[in-house]
């Protein structure tokens, strides 16, 4: 297993539960960094297209509850749904999205300002919206504690976690088993390598015959110090998104901040602007200090859809990389473990096979 982010951790957990001997190789030495730590952590199938991808995300949402039960509970999973409102130019599109989701059985409704105050008494949107979308089945995940729980459980089942080492080379041996070369110099043999390296998965994929770039744009999430503000769910206001985080903190993100970050704007200044933007709607946040500005490159395959599976001429290398990794990880990790150990392919993963990329190269 290459990568101990959310995708690697949950896949290693499911493989270990099914009796596999697992080694997780992670380049960082501390708790999770990268996209899994810097994610906004919103669990949803909202606006996901095409239809098969929407259904995959909806199944991923359900798999979070199953994972929580299997782990014996956990405060890392937060329900409560999400609320969202739009500026006047986007109101009609939001209303249409609510209607479309409700028609397909995805919980969605329009609520008024009074109902919003019942859900979130400390919200004071500026300007006040006349309609708010409420998606009650959505939620969020605190990924860092979840990854810690998963890796501890995996180690408890006999897995080995190697931190602070990088995979420098992958190849197939004469017997068809994988040869893994690490830095510092060490060689390991394995029946299957699972490529869960996220944005950095491309260089490993090439060594198994697949040329694909999984590095998306850089994103920023600001996390405040613990604050005495009551917030129970994900809030998506025009231009700024925020949600509760562990220990009384608030996480804040914005597409415009991500765009500014890509141009080289100072991270600390952007994080402070995020607090100001969120405080327009949640006044209790005004002046809150930033505890951490989390920056990472997103893992996004070229067509925006997951990569799950292996090429026929490199069965020793299983690729598992996706955007929306927080929503999808519990489901994709379980399905991948079943395919790797059982051999039979799951039809739900058919649209996401790596051979859809025609720019493959020989290993």
């Amino acid at each position: 297993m290459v990568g101990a982010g959310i995708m690697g951790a949950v896949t290693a957990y499911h493989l270990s539960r099914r009796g596999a001997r697992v080694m997780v190789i992670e380049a960082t030495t501390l708790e999770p960094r990268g996209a899994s730590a810097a994610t906004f952590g919103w669990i949803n199938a909202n606006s996901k297209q095409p239809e098969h991808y929407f259904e995959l995300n909806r199944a991923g949402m359900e798999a979070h509850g199953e994972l929580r039960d299997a782990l014996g509970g956990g405060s890392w999973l937060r329900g409560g749904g999400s609320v969202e409102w739009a500026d006047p130019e986007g109101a009609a599109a939001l209303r249409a999205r609510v209607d479309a989701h409700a028609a397909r059985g995805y919980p969605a409704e329009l609520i008024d300002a009074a109902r919003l105050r019942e859900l979130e008494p400390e919200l004071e949107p500026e300007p006040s919206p006349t309609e708010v979308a409420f998606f009650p089945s959505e939620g969020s995940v605190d990924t860092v504690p979840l990854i810690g729980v998963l890796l501890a459980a995996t180690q408890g089942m006999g897995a080995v976690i190697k931190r602070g080492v990088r995979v420098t080379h992958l190849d197939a041996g004469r017997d068809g088993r994988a040869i893994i070369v690490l830095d510092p110099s060490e060689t390991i043999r394995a029946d299957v390598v699972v490529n869960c390296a996220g944005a950095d998965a491309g260089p490993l994929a090439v060594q198994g015959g697949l040329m694909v770039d999984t590095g998306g744009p850089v994103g920023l999430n600001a996390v405040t110090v613990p604050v005495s503000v009551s917030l129970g769910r994900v809030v998506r206001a025009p231009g700024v998104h925020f949600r509760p985080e562990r220990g009384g903190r608030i996480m804040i993100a914005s597409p415009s901040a991500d765009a500014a970050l890509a141009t080289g704007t100072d991270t600390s200044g952007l994080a402070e602007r995020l607090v100001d933007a969120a405080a327009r709607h949640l006044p209790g946040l005004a002046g809150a200090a930033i505890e951490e500005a989390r920056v990472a490159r997103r893992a996004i395959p070229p067509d925006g859809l997951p990569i799950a599976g292996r090429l026929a001429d490199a069965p020793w290398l299983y690729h598992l990389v996706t955007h929306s990794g927080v929503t999808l990880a519990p489901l994709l990790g379980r399905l991948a473990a079943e395919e790797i150990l059982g051999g039979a392919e799951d039809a739900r993963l058919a649209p996401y096979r790596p051979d859809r990329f025609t720019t493959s190269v020989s290993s």
Side-chain angles (χ1 to χ4, degrees):
M1 180 73 55
V2 182
I6 183 64
M7 194 65 68
V10 76
T11 306
Y13 169 77
H14 282 295
L15 285 167
S16 296
R17 284 192 73 189
R18 286 159 176 78
R21 294 178 60 194
V22 174
M23 176 180 288
V24 180
I25 302 169
E26 168 59 38
T28 64
T29 57
L30 303 174
E31 69 176 13
R33 292 292 185 263
S36 287
T39 177
F40 187 63
W42 176 32
I43 306 171
N44 74 98
N46 214 316
S47 301
K48 303 292 175 69
Q49 294 293 334
E51 187 68 19
H52 60 75
Y53 186 53
F54 169 81
E55 292 297 343
L56 190 77
N57 277 269
R58 180 149 63 171
M61 295 168 66
E62 296 174 356
H64 271 280
E66 298 166 1
L67 180 62
R68 177 193 56 203
D69 293 345
L71 291 170
S75 59
W76 47 267
L77 179 61
R78 186 179 293 104
S82 74
V83 291
E84 177 181 355
W85 63 93
D87 54 30
E89 293 76 14
L94 178 59
R95 191 179 306 115
R97 174 152 49 94
V98 168
D99 291 343
H101 280 323
R104 66 187 5 169
Y106 185 79
E109 60 183 294
L110 290 173
I111 61 175
D112 59 16
R115 175 63 175 141
L116 179 61
R117 282 193 297 272
E118 292 177 2
L119 292 173
E120 295 291 350
E122 295 192 31
L123 271 183
E124 298 180 18
E126 177 61 41
S128 181
T130 57
E131 288 182 325
V132 175
F134 178 37
F135 302 96
S137 66
E138 297 176 355
S140 62
V141 167
D142 295 337
T143 52
V144 172
L146 172 56
I147 291 170
V149 170
L150 287 166
L151 292 179
T154 302
Q155 283 183 295
M157 291 182 281
V160 175
I161 313 294
K162 294 181 72 70
R163 288 191 172 275
V165 294
R166 293 183 178 275
V167 176
T168 60
H169 183 71
L170 292 176
D171 206 347
R174 292 181 181 275
D175 59 359
R177 300 180 74 222
I179 300 173
I180 309 164
V181 181
L182 304 179
D183 179 25
S185 182
E186 181 181 358
T187 300
I188 299 170
R189 301 296 302 277
D191 293 321
V192 177
V193 176
V194 187
N195 181 6
C196 291
D200 297 323
L204 296 180
V206 168
Q207 296 178 56
L210 179 69
M211 182 176 290
V212 62
D213 183 3
T214 60
V218 175
L220 164 69
N221 286 315
V223 180
T224 70
V225 298
V227 292
S228 56
V229 176
S230 174
L231 185 68
R233 53 191 46 78
V234 174
V235 176
R236 289 168 49 82
V240 64
H241 311 150
F242 47 98
R243 70 166 181 87
E245 239 266 13
R246 53 181 169 155
R249 298 166 177 84
I250 303 295
M251 179 180 285
I252 314 169
S254 167
S256 62
D258 290 350
L261 187 68
T263 67
T265 304
D266 175 67
T267 300
S268 61
L270 280 174
E272 292 171 0
R273 282 158 54 185
L274 285 175
V275 172
D276 292 340
R280 287 183 56 200
H281 310 291
L282 190 62
L285 271 184
I290 297 296
E291 182 174 283
E292 187 178 7
R294 301 175 181 173
V295 177
R297 186 167 299 282
R298 311 304 190 197
I300 305 180
D303 58 5
L305 299 175
I307 302 173
R310 39 194 163 188
L311 297 179
D313 56 358
W316 51 272
L317 181 57
Y318 193 104
H319 307 277
L320 193 58
V321 185
T322 187
H323 189 44
S324 297
V326 173
T327 297
L328 292 172
L331 175 66
L332 290 184
R334 175 169 58 80
L335 296 183
E338 290 170 355
E339 289 194 339
I340 291 167
L341 298 180
E345 293 189 345
D346 193 296
R348 286 170 288 186
L349 298 182
Y352 314 113
R353 299 305 183 190
D355 60 7
R356 72 182 187 273
F357 297 104
T358 59
T359 54
S360 56
V361 297
S362 59
S363 57

